[in-house]
Amino acid sequence: MSSQPTGGSRVSLKDVKKAFGSNVVLEGIDLEIPAGQFVSIVGKSGCGKSTLLRLMIGLDSVTAGVLDAPALKEQAARIVFQEPRLLPWASVKDNVAVGLGEGQSGKAADQQAAAILEEVGLKGREGLWPSQLSGGMRQRVALARALVSQPTLLALDEPLGALDALTRIDMQALLEGAWQDLGFTALMVTHDVGEAVALGDRVILIDHGQVVLDLPVNLPRPRKRGTPEFAALEGQILDKLFGDDPRAREAH
Amino acid sequence: MAATASEGPFSRALPWLVPLALIILWQVSSSLGWLPPNILPAPTAVLQAAWVKLQDGSLVDNLGVSFARAMSGLIIGGAIGFSLGLLNGLSKQAEMLLDPTLQMIRNIPHLALIPLVIIWFGIGESARLFLVALGVFFPIYLNTLHGVRNVDPQLIEMGRIYGMNNRTLFLKVILPGALPSIFVGLRFALGVMWLTLIVAETIAANSGIGHMAMAAREFMQTDIVVLSIVIYAILGKLADSATRALERKFLAWNPAYAKV
């Protein structure tokens, strides 16, 4: 499409531990994430998955072990939160420009912003206020803001968690398209096992601060939900999450 | 409801109906002799007084003097209130040092200081300036502080993650976030500004609208007294409309302030 592929960067964690005071949140985490991979991270609330994401993106520091992520040194890591966190008083275009950082303005910056807005399907809406957009469109602006500086590592903390079911499906396709076009490494935390399988090259399941499942997803894209292969992978993750408690699975 | 109420010439005339009816009633009562002119002169008499005062130039002179006083007081008191509001909103230490004292002073009605102010400044220009500035200081201070305090912390974290330095964070996140609250303060301040000026000019002044009213009282010129009151009403309304226009310009992003 209109934006140039930027490529991804790798992340590697060796025996990483994170504790807040005496409360150990993550322990013994070993992960090798190659450049350009789409990694889905799932787990129950409070399992430490968001903490893992914050570590990998440099928002928190590790307590012990080694985290090696070149994107952090190059300031090429970005994050999208569940809430869009847009400036309500800035237009769509100015919100995206926030992602370019200090002192980046003028023609080149305008072109970059325009290209990324086209990528997320917001061409022609540059001048609108966030209050004039739907929830899904606001999240697209947040995605454009994160992508405009051409990051090699993108963290997504339940990016679609606040959206309705139909908008989610739309946004999953958009996210997959942007990732395929731009080639960044994607780390996505989600509550939705189906979403994790639909988007991830690999699904990592965190439980009680440890990686309990690291499952490759070798299905062709775009993936169709409801196929036996898809359902089998989902089942495998849910089994690990809930054991054999049928009521818990039903609820999910 | 809201959509239909803002359309059509009838609904546009709606806010004017009650004032118009009151003025007609007033005029009729005066013309029929129910209202003696020494109690309340007819609207036409007030208009006539306005015409006379316009022609001899004293109306424009007094209006100019009052307006200049109001604005200088607003600018001085507003600037101090705004600066201290920002300082205390941004720095916890500054707030701990200054805010309790300011909250204490806030509870003194500033007009209670008039006798003291007259002793300090006499009845000169500085006395009135001091009172107006003191009056507008508190609404602006309190609302600026409140506005800065209530900027969404998630937006501030976002700004930090995107590498904004303190200056950019202030200009792009904190100040625009505090602006709606600051405008509320400004509108309160304008009300206090006119009130203080009226009192200060009626008690101790030799020019200005308030002085014009007090001088007219000595000669029982009720038409000029009423004219002064009407002028204050118009000035207050103009100040309020000006603030609304500013809000519409600077807060256009906020659906609550979009054109009604």
Side-chain angles (χ1 to χ4, degrees):
Chain A
M1 273 213 232
S2 49
S3 295
Q4 291 299 308
T6 49
S9 66
R10 68 186 174 80
V11 180
S12 97
L13 297 94
K14 285 198 183 68
D15 199 21
V16 162
K17 176 181 169 183
K18 177 68 185 176
F20 296 100
S22 60
N23 179 22
V24 178
V25 182
L26 293 168
E27 199 162 23
I29 305 282
D30 283 297
L31 282 174
E32 279 299 332
I33 296 167
Q37 196 170 50
F38 199 123
V39 182
S40 298
I41 304 168
V42 294
K44 294 178 189 168
S45 293
C47 69
K49 59 188 190 300
S50 285
T51 307
L52 177 63
L53 193 73
R54 290 179 71 91
L55 286 182
M56 292 196 282
I57 204 78
L59 290 182
D60 279 325
S61 52
V62 301
T63 309
V66 182
L67 169 83
D68 182 21
L72 297 183
K73 287 179 216 102
E74 294 154 12
Q75 312 239 309
R78 288 281 179 260
I79 184 164
V80 174
F81 296 99
Q82 183 172 341
E83 329 76 40
R85 301 198 190 185
L86 304 179
L87 299 175
W89 42 85
S91 65
V92 165
K93 182 168 151 274
D94 290 344
N95 265 297
V96 172
V98 166
L100 288 168
E102 298 288 330
Q104 299 280 322
S105 56
K107 232 179 173 166
D110 280 354
Q111 277 171 357
Q112 268 176 290
I116 203 71
L117 279 169
E118 194 179 343
E119 173 76 45
V120 299
L122 285 175
K123 197 179 176 188
R125 302 190 196 259
E126 294 83 354
L128 295 182
W129 306 113
S131 62
Q132 296 170 299
L133 303 175
S134 68
M137 285 199 272
R138 281 180 217 170
Q139 199 60 319
R140 287 177 194 219
V141 178
L143 185 63
R145 179 179 62 193
L147 293 178
V148 70
S149 59
Q150 305 184 320
T152 55
L153 181 62
L154 181 68
L156 302 139
D157 194 356
E158 306 220 23
L160 313 180
L163 302 177
D164 65 85
L166 293 178
T167 310
R168 285 181 81 122
I169 293 173
D170 238 21
M171 288 292 290
Q172 285 165 6
L174 181 93
L175 200 54
E176 188 173 43
W179 168 72
Q180 284 171 329
D181 288 341
L182 303 175
F184 50 83
T185 308
L187 311 168
M188 178 180 72
V189 163
T190 176
H191 267 122
D192 180 345
V193 173
E195 182 171 284
V197 175
L199 290 177
D201 288 321
R202 167 183 187 188
V203 178
I204 290 171
L205 177 57
I206 308 284
D207 196 20
H208 291 100
Q210 286 177 329
V211 177
V212 294
L213 183 70
D214 187 346
L215 188 70
V217 183
N218 296 315
L219 300 177
R221 293 172 189 270
R223 292 170 181 162
K224 274 217 169 72
R225 287 163 192 251
T227 62
E229 297 87 351
F230 195 102
L233 285 168
E234 264 187 306
Q236 215 177 324
I237 296 164
L238 287 171
D239 277 345
K240 197 78 188 174
L241 252 177
F242 295 113
D244 294 323
D245 183 350
R247 273 174 308 171
R249 281 194 59 172
E250 199 63 34
H252 200 88
Chain B
M1 270 304 278
T4 51
S6 59
E7 286 158 20
F10 172 73
S11 46
R12 219 170 303 152
L14 209 54
W16 300 94
L17 285 185
V18 173
L20 208 66
L22 283 175
I23 289 175
I24 290 170
L25 187 71
W26 174 12
Q27 180 67 48
V28 170
S29 309
S30 297
S31 303
L32 294 177
W34 298 343
L35 266 179
N38 59 343
I39 300 294
L40 198 64
T44 44
V46 176
L47 277 178
Q48 212 170 1
W51 180 244
V52 171
K53 285 278 173 189
L54 261 177
Q55 280 197 316
D56 72 9
S58 59
L59 181 58
V60 176
D61 286 350
N62 284 322
L63 201 60
V65 167
S66 288
F67 186 76
R69 280 174 188 153
M71 285 305 133
S72 350
L74 176 68
I75 289 169
I76 295 172
I80 300 173
F82 178 68
S83 314
L84 278 178
L86 284 184
L87 177 70
N88 290 358
L90 295 171
S91 154
K92 193 78 204 161
Q93 280 99 333
E95 192 197 4
M96 279 161 65
L97 178 70
L98 298 171
D99 193 60
T101 314
L102 289 172
Q103 295 293 347
M104 196 170 67
I105 299 174
R106 180 172 76 93
N107 287 307
I108 305 169
H110 67 295
L111 294 177
L113 295 180
I114 286 178
L116 199 56
V117 168
I118 292 178
I119 292 171
W120 289 346
F121 299 104
I123 61 162
E125 217 45 54
S126 27
R128 286 180 290 272
L129 260 181
F130 178 83
L131 282 171
V132 174
L134 188 66
V136 302
F137 168 83
F138 284 105
I140 301 235
Y141 166 73
L142 289 173
N143 286 284
T144 304
L145 176 64
H146 177 261
V148 171
R149 269 294 146 77
N150 283 284
V151 175
D152 184 355
Q154 289 197 330
L155 287 183
I156 295 174
E157 192 196 28
M158 183 279 297
R160 293 243 175 261
I161 290 171
Y162 278 96
M164 287 185 184
N165 58 31
N166 285 337
R167 189 171 159 271
T168 313
L169 196 67
F170 175 72
L171 290 176
K172 287 200 171 165
V173 182
I174 295 172
L175 192 57
L179 210 54
S181 179
I182 295 172
F183 271 114
V184 172
L186 180 62
R187 283 173 73 172
F188 270 112
L190 290 173
V192 176
M193 175 184 86
W194 292 121
L195 175 83
T196 313
L197 194 68
I198 293 164
V199 174
E201 281 188 348
T202 31
I203 288 175
N206 41 31
S207 59
I209 300 294
H211 168 73
M212 190 172 91
M214 286 315 276
R217 182 195 60 101
E218 304 228 344
F219 305 105
M220 292 292 282
Q221 293 170 305
T222 45
D223 50 350
I224 294 175
V225 175
V226 173
L227 173 67
S228 311
I229 295 169
V230 170
I231 288 173
Y232 275 129
I234 294 172
L235 286 174
K237 178 69 189 149
L238 283 180
D240 198 59
S241 301
T243 322
R244 275 174 193 271
L246 284 176
E247 282 181 341
R248 270 204 295 274
K249 179 168 165 51
F250 288 105
L251 305 180
W253 54 269
N254 190 330
Y257 294 95
K259 260 209 169 94
V260 187

